[in-house]
Amino acid sequence: MLQKAGGFLIGLTLLSVLSGCFSVPVTPTPPTSVPNSIPAVPTVDATFILRWAGTGPGLQNVALEILDEVTGLSLNPKRYGMESQGNNTFKVTIPFPTGSLVKYRYILAGSPPVLEAYATEQAVRYRMAYITSAQEIQDIVVGWTDRKVDVKAAGRIIGKIVDAATRAPISDVLVCAGGQQALSSADGYFILEGMAPGTHNLVAYPINGSHQPFQQGALIADNATTPAEFSLSPSKMIQVLFLVKIPEIDPDAVVRLVGSLYGLGNMHGDLAGGISAPASRAPVMTRMPDGRYSLLTSLPAGWDLRYKYTLGDGFWNAEHRGDGQFQTRQVILPQQDVVIEDVVETWKSGGSSAPIQFSATVPTNTPESDTISIQFNPYGSPGGWTEPIPMWKHRGREWRFTLYSPLGMLREVGYRYCRNDQCGAADDAATKGVKANGFPFSTSPIQQLFQDDIASWAWMKKPSQPTAVVAMNITPRNRSFWVGVELYQRDAYRPSWLTYVNEGFKNIHNIGGKQLVLSPTWTFTHETPPILQPAAGKDPLAFDTHALLQQARTNQLEGVLFPRVRANKTLSKWWTEAKRDDSWWQSWFDRYTEFLLHHAALAQQTGTSAVILGDPGVAPAFPGGKLSDGSPSGVPDDATARWVNLINQVRNFYKGEILWAVNAADAPPPQEILTRVDRIYVLWAVPLSASMELDPAAMAVEAGHQLDEKVLPLVQSTGKGIVLGLEYPSAQGSASGCVLAKDSCVRFDNLYPFHTDQPDAILSLDEQTLAYNAMLAAVNQREWITGILSRGFFVPVLLVDKSASVYGKPAADVLWYWFPRLSGQSES
């Protein structure tokens, strides 16, 4: 049962609400009234009481951390020691301004500190409390990251969140209770699994600020489910004008405001190096004639706004106080339009270290639309890179960046350059790859200037010869024929995509593409019980997917959703380590159903033209499913009926076209499944040659033979149209089925960006081009094929790499020739 334990909190947004679920940017009008002063807010005491539910020796050095998510959770905490009350209970009282939304967690102080955990190896990110008056917050701590955690008689919370006025479900609401977090899906549902028995403080917090957050107590009984269905009231919006006076800076510098909500850059996830708010997602301020900078935006009245001004992100180059400490501002917004005027004391972090200037001159083949980014590694290991920061365009091919802070806490640092924030994929060739160390530098009291001429970019050597396209009479199809691409998103998505995808979308349109398949992901974060949920910063949230679909529509592309899963380890290992007994499978189907219904609702709400089911990542759950070693997965005997029921449930949410993905190399699913969908999406990477010596004419013949053998029977048995998804990497051996590296065949997935380069695999743009020529010639002769897509398109930046992405490669020229003619957009 839910017990009333708190109040309400009004949210913050740069966005207005669309259809009760999604938000879109608005262009607010300036406040028309005289600037309002913000009234003083009284301070109240909040007492935090920790009850340790574990066993063993008594706890020592227990402390509470107040976290600063704008800077980075682990980068600027405030710690308060707690007093023992006996019986494994600890207490601390802290004053806060009334209306504060506090993010906190418990630790065992030390070097390094030990964080509280809600399960083995699952650290608490943070808890939340809304402080409206003097109050006690009682928390149960079940474990710590330095020991095994065993929650006895664990229960769960399952809830749904809707708009109080329209009853429409609300997505992307962050729900916190018992140290766990979950984001609500597009149909408003959320689940918190493995909760310790007892009463927990539950806070529901809309990350885009569209509605007022909600706080109550949730009572968990032994091995029981607690329902938590509640409504949130829409936020009252006011116009806020930020005006800030700053110290003198480089005239090319970009000033941003970064804040605690999604629209102000906070991704609510653990990004590279502990950053939560990447620079590319923070709004840019405008320089005024008097030298001040301004930002006009729409925010909710009453909101507890945390924010700062920065020349980078929340950590690098952010404003500091005169004593050298990070400056993170807090204001409780008033009920009317307001002008907030601030002064940045300094960009420096104290100490004797002087600012460091970086100047990068880029190669002549750098695309004009690219932004050059700089990335820093303060941790001394290849895995210690923080989020990239866009540099400042100077003139010609020169980009600049001046690093002011936090130099006082640094010694040896690495840096490198990349394109469009895609460091680890689109790098300076001298520091390429996910394991690069970068160029070193040390702080110094003497000002330093690093002038770097970037000789070449990794994966940017374009062919000098024109693309050979096999011309022939092309039979145009009807308007339902698909031509387009499927984006590569799993393990590659970054929050910066929203800033940089437009050029890639333009390219898809320019080659004649009409369909754009997005593959939004959720992550399996736990095996037993199976927990599937969006991981902020790694999976696109509903807001991101909606924004991508909007940008696609702007570029005259029809959006299609192909929901995919990922895991906090390899998927094959996740499946192998899962329990997979009867109760586990029931939980799995429950969680996966929620995942699909989220995307079905999202597709319906955004007008998406189709949804594709049948993610190969969940193949062990298909009828007759097998694990990666070929052994049976133990999927229930009624798996076919479960999948048929799941398709029916998707149709209840989504009224558009539904496809089922079938891997051409695998046996198709039962007819009962295929007959329930509208078309079949065949994932095609079939070898077109038995030899590494490629004969174009023979490849076209083999392509036709394989289509007739592997795909035509599906058409004959189901009567369904076929959309082909082609995946041929630009690497030697892709057309013959084996990209060889170190005497073994490389998985095509391992050739995509952000994977370790396979140096023995040989780049071959010609082989990819030949494969596309052969497949398109074969498709032209088979009218029962109703669409063709290029899979693996890496949209945020052009890379001439070994992956299957055709962006910027000769194979895209082949599609440019074929797509308009096949789809009837131009004459043959």
Side-chain angles (χ1 to χ4, degrees), residues 421-761:
D421 276 12
Q422 305 306 301
C423 292
D427 306 307
D428 171 6
T431 58
K432 73 175 183 179
V434 293
K435 297 183 178 180
N437 289 314
F439 304 116
F441 71 89
S442 301
T443 58
S444 169
I446 301 173
Q447 187 161 328
Q448 302 176 75
L449 170 62
F450 293 92
Q451 291 182 299
D452 297 306
D453 287 326
I454 299 174
S456 63
W457 295 112
W459 313 119
M460 271 294 289
K461 186 177 182 181
K462 296 184 177 181
S464 56
Q465 300 299 318
T467 305
V469 178
V470 179
M472 59 181 64
N473 292 325
I474 297 175
T475 304
R477 311 301 174 87
N478 61 34
R479 296 185 63 177
S480 66
F481 191 89
W482 280 13
V483 288
V485 306
E486 177 191 333
L487 300 189
Y488 177 69
Q489 287 184 252
R490 191 175 68 189
D491 300 326
Y493 177 78
R494 302 291 188 272
S496 59
W497 273 33
L498 282 184
T499 306
Y500 299 111
V501 296
N502 200 55
E503 283 300 314
F505 285 171
K506 286 181 183 178
N507 179 269
I508 297 164
H509 173 71
N510 290 339
I511 63 175
K514 295 194 304 180
Q515 278 70 35
L516 173 75
V517 179
L518 301 181
S519 299
T521 55
W522 280 12
T523 300
F524 282 114
T525 58
H526 198 261
E527 296 90 8
T528 305
I531 298 176
L532 177 62
Q533 60 189 5
K538 297 179 175 64
D539 300 318
L541 305 187
F543 175 85
D544 294 337
T545 298
H546 177 254
L548 289 170
L549 289 168
Q550 280 189 317
Q551 289 198 48
R553 194 172 295 116
T554 299
N555 286 281
Q556 303 176 54
L557 300 172
E558 295 179 11
V560 176
L561 293 188
F562 183 13
R564 307 290 300 272
V565 300
R566 55 187 298 276
N568 54 4
K569 57 187 69 174
T570 64
L571 270 174
S572 59
K573 185 177 182 181
W574 186 89
W575 279 106
T576 300
E577 293 179 352
K579 193 173 183 179
R580 290 179 286 111
D581 58 12
D582 289 345
S583 62
W584 185 94
W585 278 110
Q586 183 59 53
S587 294
W588 188 92
F589 274 101
D590 288 345
R591 301 292 81 76
Y592 191 73
T593 297
E594 182 52 41
F595 163 71
L596 282 190
L597 295 185
H598 162 80
H599 288 96
L602 180 61
Q604 183 66 26
Q605 293 159 358
T606 56
T608 300
S609 63
V611 169
I612 303 174
L613 309 179
D615 173 15
V618 298
F622 294 164
K626 297 183 182 299
L627 302 178
S628 58
D629 62 2
S631 62
S633 66
V635 66
D637 293 338
D638 64 349
T640 297
R642 290 176 185 248
W643 282 101
V644 169
N645 179 58
L646 204 157
I647 294 170
N648 292 336
Q649 290 187 67
V650 169
R651 286 201 184 276
N652 289 336
F653 278 80
Y654 176 67
K655 306 307 177 184
E657 188 178 20
I658 296 178
L659 292 80
W660 186 274
V662 174
N663 194 321
D666 299 333
Q671 292 290 301
E672 294 93 327
I673 292 176
L674 295 181
T675 55
R676 295 304 197 283
V677 299
D678 302 303
R679 281 197 274 185
I680 300 171
Y681 182 36
V682 177
L683 310 180
W684 187 270
V686 175
L688 305 178
S689 173
S691 168
M692 297 288 282
E693 299 295 328
L694 303 179
D695 180 336
M699 289 173 66
V701 171
E702 181 64 13
H705 170 71
Q706 292 292 340
L707 286 171
D708 293 340
E709 181 179 278
K710 297 181 182 298
V711 183
L712 184 57
L714 287 176
V715 179
Q716 295 169 334
S717 62
T718 66
K720 305 296 181 182
I722 299 295
V723 175
L724 279 182
L726 306 184
E727 186 180 24
Y728 288 102
S730 47
Q732 191 176 93
S734 64
S736 57
C738 179
V739 175
L740 196 63
K742 294 184 178 179
D743 300 322
S744 63
C745 298
V746 177
R747 287 175 51 87
F748 287 0
D749 280 353
N750 291 336
L751 298 173
Y752 280 108
F754 302 115
H755 288 80
T756 301
D757 181 39
Q758 306 287 330
D760 293 339

Side-chain angles (χ1 to χ4, degrees), residues 28-72:
T29 56
T32 56
S33 58
V34 176
N36 294 285
S37 60
I38 298 176
V41 176
T43 297
V44 294
D45 286 341
T47 299
F48 295 84
I49 299 174
L50 176 161
R51 181 171 67 82
W52 163 233
T55 58
L59 299 177
Q60 302 292 325
N61 301 320
V62 179
L64 181 143
E65 279 191 332
I66 303 297
L67 300 170
D68 171 9
E69 197 168 20
V70 178
T71 304

Side-chain angles (χ1 to χ4, degrees), residues 128-141:
M128 288 199 296
Y130 178 44
I131 311 300
T132 57
S133 60
Q135 59 190 271
E136 285 188 350
I137 298 101
Q138 300 199 28
D139 292 315
I140 301 170
V141 173

